Amino acid sequence: MTPTELFADNFVTQLMMPMLASDMTMTVAVAAPTNLQATGQFRVVVEADGVNALERVIISGPSTTSAVWTILTRGADGTSAVAHAAGRTVSQIVTAE
């Protein structure tokens, strides 16, 4: 069964801790809006910097009641899992997947 895809309008936050390419959690500035905290998943993009490309990441909805989110998939939708510095913008995205 395909997980429910969750959505929020214009949700943007930032990384509060750097991420290694192998990390399966991300620490962000704020918990997600209530409608992203349901059973299901949502997708975010971590912005590129001068060294690393942007990365799409799939997040577990129930994990987002705090500012430490559980990652289901790194390098989603044809991107690659890469390291990210603290302060990078994290935005929810909608894809055709």
Side-chain angles (χ1 to χ4, degrees):
M1 184 172 164
T2 304
T4 301
E5 198 75 18
L6 306 170
F7 301 97
D9 291 332
N10 303 313
F11 180 63
V12 177
T13 187
Q14 68 179 0
L15 286 177
M16 296 305 291
M17 301 284 292
M19 287 176 57
L20 301 174
S22 60
D23 287 346
M24 293 305 288
T25 60
M26 70 169 51
T27 302
V28 294
V30 295
T34 304
N35 50 326
L36 293 180
Q37 297 175 7
T39 299
Q41 65 185 28
F42 63 96
R43 296 164 193 264
V44 296
V45 64
V46 182
E47 75 174 342
D49 58 26
V51 177
N52 294 311
L54 69 83
E55 178 185 357
R56 292 182 177 179
V57 180
I58 300 175
I59 304 295
S60 170
S63 76
T64 62
T65 57
S66 75
V68 180
W69 297 353
T70 300
I71 297 170
L72 298 174
T73 305
R74 297 286 309 261
D77 304 325
T79 64
S80 296
V82 296
H84 299 285
R88 296 287 95 202
T89 298
V90 177
S91 307
Q92 186 187 20
I93 57 168
V94 177
T95 68
E97 297 292 319

